[in-house]
Amino acid sequence: MDKILDIAEKVGMYVCAVPVWGDKVGLPFNSPGPAVFNPQSASVYGAWLGERYKSRDNLIWMIGGDRTPNEGEHLETWPALAHAIRGAGAEQLMTYHPQGGTSSAWFVHAEDWLQLNTIQSGHAERKVRTCHDFISVDRARLPRKPVLNSEPCYKDHPVNWNRANGTFLDDEVRFAAY
């Protein structure tokens, strides 16, 4: 991570780091796991990360890891991680990576650590008409926060994970991203 941040800094790039992927906190939808993070371990890890990377100017934190934080371990673990990173002095931009077809604003908009809402328009349908709706609704929320589609569909990814539906084309990726 240090080497990646150094290289990115030299060329004027930012790195968006997902410190824990969602399957390490609970095991929804066929995740390989193992689920090893809970609020206590996330706090310890977050404090270590925050202390280690607090002086990095080219880092963005993306809490969440493609999960919906509305139940069980997720509900308490993600905020614990974010607060620990902040508590150790890391002041970089922080956001949340929601599951497909959702927005971070639905779950953590009011959290004091969240500075940027992200949506994931996802991979379930062609010409994702919901992107505009997601962004419009999120931009109207108070307090106002910027919003970004952090995971549009991927080129050549099967629509709704089924090749029989075809795959996403490059113009569909651009449509969802724009």
Side-chain angles (χ1 to χ4, degrees), residues 14-16 60-62 93-99 101-105 109 114-122 130-141 144-152 173-178:
Y14 283 76
V15 173
C16 186
I60 298 168
W61 295 105
M62 184 171 272
L93 185 66
M94 190 175 283
T95 188
Y96 187 90
H97 182 349
Q99 193 170 336
T102 67
S103 168
S104 62
H109 181 79
L114 186 88
Q115 298 159 308
L116 166 70
N117 278 309
T118 58
I119 66 169
Q120 183 189 154
S121 59
T130 54
C131 292
H132 179 267
D133 296 339
F134 277 136
I135 291 170
S136 295
V137 169
D138 286 357
R139 288 187 65 205
R141 293 178 191 274
R144 293 208 187 276
K145 296 180 182 181
V147 61
L148 170 76
N149 188 358
S150 64
E151 189 172 338
V173 176
R174 287 192 304 276
F175 178 87
Y178 298 155

Side-chain angles (χ1 to χ4, degrees), residues 40-53:
Q40 294 75 31
S41 59
S43 291
V44 171
Y45 181 53
W48 179 81
L49 288 171
E51 177 62 32
R52 183 174 181 103
Y53 295 109

Side-chain angles (χ1 to χ4, degrees), residues 72-130:
E73 293 285 326
H74 293 271
L75 190 60
E76 298 174 5
T77 303
W78 300 121
L81 177 64
H83 284 289
I85 291 169
R86 284 276 184 260
E91 297 181 6
Q92 298 94 345
L93 185 66
M94 190 175 283
T95 188
Y96 187 90
H97 182 349
Q99 193 170 336
T102 67
S103 168
S104 62
W106 297 4
F107 311 104
V108 294
H109 181 79
E111 293 281 345
D112 59 352
W113 52 266
L114 186 88
Q115 298 159 308
L116 166 70
N117 278 309
T118 58
I119 66 169
Q120 183 189 154
S121 59
H123 320 288
E125 62 182 338
R126 290 195 177 280
K127 298 293 183 189
V128 184
R129 64 189 176 281
T130 54

Side-chain angles (χ1 to χ4, degrees), residues 1-10 13-15 49-61 89-93:
M1 180 77 173
D2 296 325
K3 193 172 247 180
I4 290 167
L5 285 166
D6 288 342
I7 293 167
E9 186 175 44
K10 285 179 185 171
M13 291 180 68
Y14 283 76
V15 173
L49 288 171
E51 177 62 32
R52 183 174 181 103
Y53 295 109
K54 67 184 175 187
S55 64
R56 291 295 191 154
D57 293 328
N58 65 326
L59 177 61
I60 298 168
W61 295 105
E91 297 181 6
Q92 298 94 345
L93 185 66

